[in-house]
Amino acid sequence: MIDALHQLFRERFGAAPALLARAPGRVNLIGEHTDYNDGFVLPCAISRQTMVAARRRDDRQVRIVAGDLGGATTTFSLAGPITPDSAAPWSNYVRGVADGLLEAGLELSGADLAIIGDMPQGAGLSSSAALENAAGLALAALAGQPDFDRSRLALIGQRAEHRFAGCQCGIMDQLVSARAIAGAALLIDCRSLDCTPVTLPADLAVMIVHSGIERGLVDGEYNLRRQQCEAAAQHFGVAALRDLAELPAAGGLDPVAYARARHVVGENTRTLAAAQALAAGDLARLGVLMAESHAAMRDDFEITLPAIDGLVALLQDAIGSAGGARMTGGGFGGAVVALLPAEQVERVRAAVLAGYRTPAGGPPLVMVETPAAGASLI
Ligand code: GLA
């Protein structure tokens, strides 16, 4: 990938880049739709990532070429207000991050940027967070701040989603992509942004199966879930659903908002329990918690799809009490994550390939991942 990136940069800009930055995608093991409720999540970064090659420009132009989009290009200026561009929506993550870095007081120069990655599209593995962090780190490094605080970097990526992409997302994706530690999952407190690494047992495999159902055009459903959670928190008189250790009686709350709250309150408890089970290598307990998480996403949060439920059930049957499986990410498609003993990977992979077909009729993409480190310069 590095060679291809160098070549892309040279072809488009006629010189070698000054620096390279990378940031990983992520898979969430448990703790779904809890981040924007100030709660807990347990994701890890994955080896699939986005890379950005960069070189300073002396004017205030930012020129971008996207290798994964057939070499599509776009340009914007740092001199005037930076706005989203509907003709090149893929670039809005970079525009948003540049805008956020300027607001944070960095003296950005103009830049030539080339982008390349190996993240499957629509899998819900946070390719946008990876792009935000890689581009943000590259721009910060060009501005003389290669050690720019990684939590601030993540917050700037989240701000880009809110203001430039129309998704009112939480902080999980950007934060784990910025701060992950190789070999570990991160238990993140999304209120304080404290990250506690939980080392994965050596013989544990993280398997990700892309359903082939692309996430897309679902920001409306996502933002609606967020509103419902906020309405429930307000009803119960708390700042966020995180503040409820147990679910109170509905007390007149609309049944849909109540079901959303039931998922979030239970999911926070499950996530803390899962971090302990993972640290202790208790895969049977993890499996139970993952199954409960999936059921709550299906029945209370209503973000799964029948085909995804089927894929999860297939994995759960194949793995039994040796581990677990659940849908991962925002929902309405994307990927399923399974935790299982490494020695069972081939048998479970065979079961998935035999038992599941994507909507296009082909076999699903199965990835077996080792938790990667967060955003860095190369
Ligand atoms: C998306 C968002 C995250 C988080 C998850 C659901 O990935 O970007 O902030 O809310 O969905 O857990």
Side-chain angles (χ1 to χ4, degrees):
M1 220 159 92
I2 293 185
D3 288 347
L5 183 57
H6 272 281
Q7 194 184 338
L8 177 68
F9 194 94
R10 202 174 273 284
E11 273 170 13
R12 179 68 182 83
F13 303 120
L19 60 86
L20 264 52
R22 58 158 283 281
R26 65 96 186 93
V27 63
N28 190 19
L29 306 182
I30 193 165
E32 222 65 82
H33 288 262
T34 45
D35 60 353
Y36 55 80
N37 290 296
D38 279 3
F40 298 95
V41 294
L42 187 64
C44 61
I46 59 175
S47 63
R48 300 203 176 221
Q49 59 186 351
T50 297
M51 286 185 180
V52 172
R55 188 184 58 163
R56 269 183 90 91
R57 292 177 59 82
D58 291 332
D59 57 17
R60 304 220 68 205
Q61 300 293 306
V62 177
R63 298 193 295 178
I64 318 175
V65 56
D68 300 336
L69 299 174
T73 57
T74 188
T75 300
F76 65 94
S77 169
L78 299 171
I82 303 175
T83 50
D85 180 2
S86 56
W90 55 271
S91 72
N92 288 337
Y93 304 106
V94 183
R95 290 168 196 264
V97 158
D99 188 59
L101 288 167
L102 287 172
E103 195 196 61
L106 266 73
E107 296 195 358
L108 296 188
S109 63
D112 288 333
L113 304 175
I115 305 169
I116 212 166
D118 63 357
M119 308 262 314
Q121 293 306 304
L125 300 175
S126 294
S127 53
S128 66
L131 173 56
E132 287 147 11
N133 284 335
L137 183 56
L139 290 170
L142 286 182
Q145 296 215 29
D147 298 323
F148 190 73
D149 181 79
R150 297 299 195 262
S151 294
R152 282 179 79 197
L153 184 68
L155 287 164
I156 286 169
Q158 182 192 29
R159 177 186 177 281
E161 297 274 352
H162 289 189
R163 300 200 189 176
F164 283 71
C167 179
Q168 299 299 316
C169 67
I171 192 61
M172 166 169 70
D173 305 345
Q174 290 78 16
L175 199 66
V176 68
S177 171
R179 291 185 52 186
I181 289 171
L186 285 191
L187 175 64
I188 303 175
D189 177 333
C190 296
R191 175 169 278 166
S192 66
L193 304 191
D194 283 348
C195 295
T196 309
V198 183
T199 305
L200 264 54
D203 56 352
L204 177 74
V206 179
M207 181 183 279
I208 303 168
V209 184
H210 183 3
S211 65
I213 305 167
E214 292 209 6
R215 293 197 72 226
L217 303 177
V218 292
D219 287 349
E221 287 292 335
Y222 184 93
N223 294 344
L224 176 62
R225 295 298 181 286
R226 184 169 184 155
Q227 283 165 19
Q228 291 164 334
C229 289
E230 286 167 358
Q234 197 175 13
H235 171 85
F236 291 123
V238 290
L241 290 177
R242 145 75 177 273
D243 296 308
L244 298 175
E246 279 173 23
L247 189 68
L253 179 64
D254 151 72
V256 172
Y258 191 61
R260 306 299 190 239
R262 183 161 53 222
H263 163 76
V264 172
V265 173
E267 188 77 352
N268 277 326
T269 308
R270 286 188 288 273
T271 302
L272 292 171
Q276 283 186 355
L278 186 61
D282 187 347
L283 292 190
R285 176 89 185 113
L286 262 177
V288 170
L289 294 164
M290 291 173 85
E292 288 175 4
S293 169
H294 186 83
M297 289 192 290
R298 182 190 60 213
D299 302 335
D300 285 337
F301 224 68
E302 298 181 277
I303 53 171
T304 72
L305 300 170
I308 302 260
D309 296 336
L311 175 56
V312 166
L314 195 165
L315 278 156
Q316 288 171 338
D317 281 350
I319 296 169
S321 61
R326 57 185 284 285
M327 185 189 75
T328 183
F332 305 101
V336 161
V337 62
L339 296 177
L340 65 160
E343 73 208 20
Q344 298 198 21
V345 160
E346 290 320 317
R347 185 180 59 75
V348 171
R349 186 200 302 267
V352 171
L353 294 178
Y356 181 82
R357 283 288 166 274
T358 68
L365 174 65
V366 180
M367 297 161 264
V368 178
E369 280 291 338
T370 326
S376 59
L377 295 171
I378 302 174

